[in-house]
């Protein structure tokens, strides 16, 4: 297959993703904007990871909804079904993320980004630690909410959904914070 | 206690070191170019080890690379 076609396709998709993020960041930070005209390679990787994880989650949930739940809503309270849903979702998301990151690396290599900097130094570790710390807090809050739902006599399926949603939210916040710290400084 | 103000002379030192690039300095210190950019712009304060590595790369003492001042508190 011609590399130029792949490069053009990926370039367009990356540009669309970056433009969506710039648009959102302009709404959140009207004065400065979170994303500058030029992003470094680490920020691009995080941005792609963020957008793809949201997209994978949305596509997978839509698929499960229309394939199974739409015809049989009672499945939403079937713990066995929810367990399978979650167990399959994790490896699917991991494999999809790996494939997307490999495609991104190929795109960056083909498009001649010579400033690819794979070195991870103390600043990267510091940023990662700070982001993980806050995302763990969010997950702990989610865990407490899940236990609270059980304590209030709600169905166990509610607990599972709260755990899933807060776990996903924690991972999104982790990546948004990493972008924030790369841009604003630690 | 007053607020600590840490500034650096990395840009000036790079100029006097034959306009050393940020990438070259990053390679000499074992860090990434982005970290050097962040330090130069005052967005990141390096660990003691990286600070010494930067000073070593320029062959100057540490206090020539980084300067420390305590800003006086106007309320006092």
């Amino acid at each position: 297959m011609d590399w130029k076609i792949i490069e053009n396709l990926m370039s367009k998709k990356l540009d669309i993703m970056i433009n969506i993020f710039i648009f959102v960041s302009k709404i959140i930070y009207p004065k400065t904007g979170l994303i500058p005209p030029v992003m470094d390679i680490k920020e691009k990787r995080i941005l792609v990871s963020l957008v793809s994880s949201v997209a994978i989650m949305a596509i997978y949930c839509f698929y499960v909804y229309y394939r199974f739940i739409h015809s049989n809503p009672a499945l939403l309270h079937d713990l066995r079904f929810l367990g399978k849903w979650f167990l399959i979702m994790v490896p699917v998301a991991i494999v999809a993320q790996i494939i997307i990151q490999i495609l991104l690396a190929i795109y960056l290599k083909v498009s001649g980004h010579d400033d690819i900097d794979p070195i991870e130094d103390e600043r990267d570790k510091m940023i990662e630690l700070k982001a993980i710390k806050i995302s763990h807090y969010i997950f702990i809050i989610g865990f407490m909410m899940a236990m609270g739902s059980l304590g209030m006599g709600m169905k166990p399926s509610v607990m599972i959904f709260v755990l899933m949603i807060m776990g996903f939210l924690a991972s999104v916040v982790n990546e948004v914070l990493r972008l924030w710290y790369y841009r604003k400084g630690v | 206690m007053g607020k600590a103000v840490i500034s650096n002379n990395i840009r000036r030192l790079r100029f006097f070191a034959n306009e050393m690039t940020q990438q070259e300095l990053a390679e000499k210190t074992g860090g990434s170019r982005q970290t050097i950019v962040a330090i130069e712009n005052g967005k990141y304060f390096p660990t003691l080890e990286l600070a010494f590595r930067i000073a070593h790369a320029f062959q100057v003492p540490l206090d020539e690379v980084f300067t420390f001042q305590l800003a006086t508190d106007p309320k006092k």
Side-chain angles (χ1 to χ4, degrees):
Chain A
M1 199 183 280
D2 192 0
W3 280 116
K4 278 281 170 199
I5 299 170
I6 298 172
E7 188 194 327
N8 284 340
L9 273 173
M10 291 192 65
S11 172
K12 276 177 191 165
K13 284 187 178 169
L14 197 65
D15 284 349
I16 291 167
M17 284 198 285
I18 289 171
N19 281 331
I20 290 170
F21 202 81
I22 290 171
F23 177 72
V24 174
S25 73
K26 282 274 164 66
I27 295 169
I28 302 170
Y29 310 103
K31 282 182 185 168
T32 56
L34 186 62
I35 306 300
V38 180
M39 291 173 78
D40 75 42
I41 206 80
K42 286 172 186 168
E43 288 171 78
K44 277 182 188 166
R45 278 184 182 160
I46 296 170
L47 184 60
V48 169
S49 167
L50 172 65
V51 175
S52 58
S53 63
V54 173
I56 291 163
M57 181 76 168
I59 291 167
Y60 185 74
C61 288
F62 268 110
Y63 169 75
V64 171
Y65 180 79
Y66 282 107
R67 178 83 171 75
F68 303 105
I69 300 167
H70 190 60
S71 55
N72 185 10
L75 280 174
L76 272 178
H77 302 295
D78 182 353
L79 294 182
R80 197 168 159 222
F81 172 77
L82 292 178
K84 275 187 192 171
W85 177 3
F86 187 70
L87 275 179
I88 295 171
M89 188 179 72
V90 172
V92 164
I94 291 170
V95 170
Q97 278 284 3
I98 290 169
I99 291 169
I100 287 168
Q101 288 296 329
I102 289 170
L103 288 175
L104 177 69
I106 291 170
Y107 161 70
L108 292 171
K109 195 81 179 169
V110 171
S111 63
H113 281 72
D114 292 325
D115 63 334
I116 292 175
D117 195 354
I119 296 170
E120 194 172 282
D121 62 7
E122 58 175 49
R123 179 167 161 264
D124 301 308
K125 283 173 192 159
M126 175 84 82
I127 287 172
E128 201 175 333
L129 282 175
K130 282 195 168 191
I132 284 176
K133 185 180 148 192
I134 295 172
S135 66
H136 275 188
Y137 286 149
I138 291 171
F139 187 71
I140 289 167
I141 291 168
F143 184 78
M144 300 306 279
M145 282 166 66
M147 293 303 115
S149 72
L150 278 185
M152 285 189 289
M154 292 179 184
K155 289 180 178 171
S157 55
V158 175
M159 178 204 72
I160 291 175
F161 277 113
V162 170
L163 274 180
M164 277 171 68
I165 291 167
M166 292 304 277
F168 176 68
L169 186 69
S171 78
V172 168
V173 167
N174 178 27
E175 278 165 356
V176 170
L177 279 173
R178 280 167 70 194
L179 272 179
W180 168 267
Y181 283 129
Y182 272 117
R183 186 78 356 240
K184 296 287 176 184
V186 192
Chain B
M1 192 185 286
K3 196 184 171 193
V5 180
I6 301 169
S7 52
N8 69 78
N9 300 312
I10 294 176
R11 181 68 195 92
R12 187 177 62 80
L13 288 164
R14 282 200 302 114
F15 175 77
F16 286 116
N18 273 341
E19 195 62 79
M20 183 193 287
T21 63
Q22 290 167 331
Q23 183 63 46
E24 284 167 350
L25 180 59
E27 282 164 13
K28 284 187 177 184
T29 55
S32 67
R33 189 182 60 80
Q34 289 87 354
T35 300
I36 299 297
V37 174
I39 295 169
E40 254 189 50
N41 295 333
K43 287 186 175 177
Y44 175 67
F45 299 113
T47 59
L48 203 53
E49 183 190 344
L50 182 56
F52 272 112
R53 280 179 186 273
I54 292 169
H56 187 259
F58 291 119
Q59 298 291 316
V60 292
L62 187 62
D63 62 353
E64 221 174 287
V65 184
F66 295 97
T67 50
F68 174 79
Q69 277 182 320
L70 271 179
T72 49
D73 195 347
K75 287 177 186 172
K76 287 182 182 177

